[in-house]
Amino acid sequence: MIPNFSCHSLPRSQGNPHKFSYQATDQVDRDHDSGWAVRARDEFQPVSRGELLDRLRSGTATVLDVRPEDEFASGHLPNALNIPLSQLERRLAELPADQEIVAYCRGPWCVLSFEAVAVLRQRGYRVRRLEDGFPEWKLAGLPIESVPVR
């Protein structure tokens, strides 16, 4: 079962010893000054926007959007598959076992993609996360898709 998580921008304050990066495991450290749960550095290098664009063009990656369905409908990366984190475990059959998956969500501090990566790695999938999220992709002027309003 996947616990419910929300996305928060983690505060950066002077003198804070944490770098506010995450690791896709179950290990969580707590910042004693702010009380925020933070994760150590991701054990695998995240995918850059440029690398993902190349992989999209060549068809060598499956893009997984783990945001809620309404956010996906408003805009998403090209050819992205939307499986909200809360539905991920019961929808694993929709993911290819023979291709790397790149997960993304609301931005670099959103925990949804980190948790999706952890769940999928535990089940043997090759998966990494996008270095940032949909808002940064859109602001960079990169291609997006949306679901037509009915």
Side-chain angles (χ1 to χ4, degrees):
M1 179 173 185
I2 300 173
N4 290 325
F5 291 94
S6 60
C7 291
H8 300 282
S9 293
L10 298 176
R12 289 181 181 245
S13 61
Q14 290 183 341
N16 189 330
H18 298 285
K19 294 183 181 176
F20 295 112
S21 58
Y22 300 89
Q23 181 177 357
T25 67
D26 292 331
Q27 181 179 348
V28 176
D29 295 323
R30 192 159 287 281
D31 176 347
H32 297 289
D33 294 331
S34 68
W36 284 91
V38 296
R39 295 183 186 267
R41 186 177 169 96
D42 191 3
E43 63 189 66
F44 293 95
Q45 195 68 357
V47 176
S48 70
R49 284 178 271 175
E51 181 184 350
L52 184 54
L53 268 175
D54 291 342
R55 308 262 325 262
L56 285 170
R57 290 181 186 122
S58 65
T60 58
T62 296
V63 180
L64 176 63
D65 185 322
V66 295
R67 298 175 301 152
E69 293 166 352
D70 60 329
E71 291 180 39
F72 177 82
S74 295
H76 54 271
L77 276 60
N79 301 317
L81 172 63
N82 180 227
I83 303 178
L85 182 62
S86 63
Q87 300 173 17
L88 187 58
E89 294 220 48
R90 68 177 177 268
R91 295 179 58 188
L92 290 175
E94 297 176 40
L95 296 170
D98 61 343
Q99 190 173 64
E100 185 174 58
I101 298 164
V102 177
Y104 76 93
C105 58
R106 297 173 181 140
W109 306 115
C110 178
V111 299
L112 299 174
S113 63
F114 290 95
E115 297 303 324
V117 166
V119 166
L120 293 172
R121 283 183 186 158
Q122 287 175 347
R123 282 145 186 83
Y125 287 88
R126 289 183 306 127
V127 59
R128 292 166 51 196
R129 63 176 182 81
L130 182 61
E131 68 183 351
D132 45 35
F134 178 74
E136 294 82 10
W137 182 275
K138 184 177 178 180
L139 285 172
L142 297 172
I144 62 170
E145 297 175 347
S146 59
V147 176
V149 178
R150 295 179 193 199

